[in-house]
Amino acid sequence: MHILTTIMNEYGYLVLFLSIALGILALPIPMEAMLAYAGFLSFLEQLNWFGSIIASAAGSTLGMLLSYWVGCRLGIHFFEKHGKRLHLEPDRLHAISNWIRRYGNKLLIISLFIPVFRHFIGYLSGITRVPIKVYTLYTGIGSTLWVSSFIFLGKILGPQWETFFEVMKRYLILTSIVLFILIGVIYLIKKIRNVVIETGTK
């Protein structure tokens, strides 16, 4: 993080754009910390807060589009062949695909706020062929809301941004764990229900 912030002090928007784009593609970059630090720099008037939002939202949208493209290129057959290694067996992938088709627009907006999940939603959207115009629109909205939240907090909190960020990071991790448990429970309930229905019809 120290290296990134040092470089960002010198190159500003370009580093912010690239770090967020690469972070979305699952490179180990502390994106929320970068955004909050950009807000802090705007507090110091070293960066413009609106310019920071534009650069980071553009980076986020680019990363999401690249992950969508990779998902499209890999396609469903890749996961049918190698899905077990990634814990994405065909039946689980089919369930996720249905989930995305049903709640896709809302998921694309909120997914960026959820660590880990945001790294997969783009690939899965590409695999399930979410319409590109819809995908771009909603990821653009989600990206803008996500980056604006952390940049604005960094600007408001000023020198206290690091203390607040540590608390926020724990909150986001806890929320992610609860969400994944909830998704797993829903998936198991549906699977058990389908088994019961199939057994009853025999």
Side-chain angles (χ1 to χ4, degrees):
M1 178 65 191
H2 177 69
I3 295 172
L4 287 172
T5 53
T6 301
I7 297 172
M8 197 161 104
N9 287 339
E10 188 169 350
Y11 297 102
Y13 307 114
L14 178 61
V15 173
L16 189 58
F17 170 80
L18 292 174
S19 62
I20 298 301
L22 295 173
I24 291 293
L25 293 171
L27 268 71
I29 295 173
M31 293 184 289
E32 280 91 354
M34 291 290 292
L35 294 169
Y37 184 69
F40 173 60
L41 290 180
S42 69
F43 169 83
L44 297 176
E45 298 185 350
Q46 293 181 22
L47 289 179
N48 177 273
W49 69 273
F50 185 71
S52 298
I53 289 172
I54 294 297
S56 50
S60 175
T61 304
L62 174 63
M64 293 293 282
L65 286 171
L66 287 173
S67 62
Y68 177 92
W69 178 79
V70 171
C72 283
R73 295 292 293 177
L74 290 177
I76 192 72
H77 299 298
F78 174 87
F79 285 90
E80 286 176 348
K81 187 176 181 180
H82 304 287
K84 277 191 175 181
R85 299 176 189 173
L86 304 172
H87 304 290
L88 284 172
E89 295 84 355
D91 58 336
R92 181 174 294 180
L93 186 60
H94 180 69
I96 293 171
S97 299
N98 289 337
W99 200 48
I100 290 174
R101 288 191 185 100
R102 190 171 180 181
Y103 304 107
N105 297 348
K106 295 175 184 176
L107 281 175
L108 290 171
I109 291 177
I110 67 169
S111 63
L112 286 160
F113 289 88
I114 308 169
V116 181
F117 188 64
R118 61 172 162 246
H119 300 303
F120 291 101
I121 188 68
Y123 298 110
L124 293 170
S125 296
I127 291 163
T128 56
R129 297 296 195 273
V130 173
I132 186 64
K133 289 183 180 178
V134 172
Y135 179 81
T136 304
L137 173 64
Y138 284 95
T139 52
I141 293 171
S143 294
T144 303
L145 291 174
W146 174 55
V147 303
S148 298
S149 299
F150 283 92
I151 290 172
F152 184 70
L153 284 171
K155 181 176 175 60
I156 293 295
L157 294 167
Q160 303 300 318
W161 76 270
E162 285 188 275
T163 304
F164 176 83
F165 176 73
E166 288 303 316
V167 176
M168 178 61 74
K169 186 167 67 174
R170 293 192 206 104
Y171 172 77
L172 287 171
I173 292 170
L174 180 61
T175 302
S176 301
I177 292 170
V178 171
L179 181 64
F180 279 111
I181 291 172
L182 183 62
I183 290 171
V185 169
I186 293 171
Y187 174 77
L188 285 173
I189 289 171
K190 286 187 176 181
K191 195 163 187 178
I192 291 168
R193 187 180 65 182
N194 290 337
V195 171
V196 170
I197 291 170
E198 288 175 6
T199 305
T201 56
K202 289 181 180 178

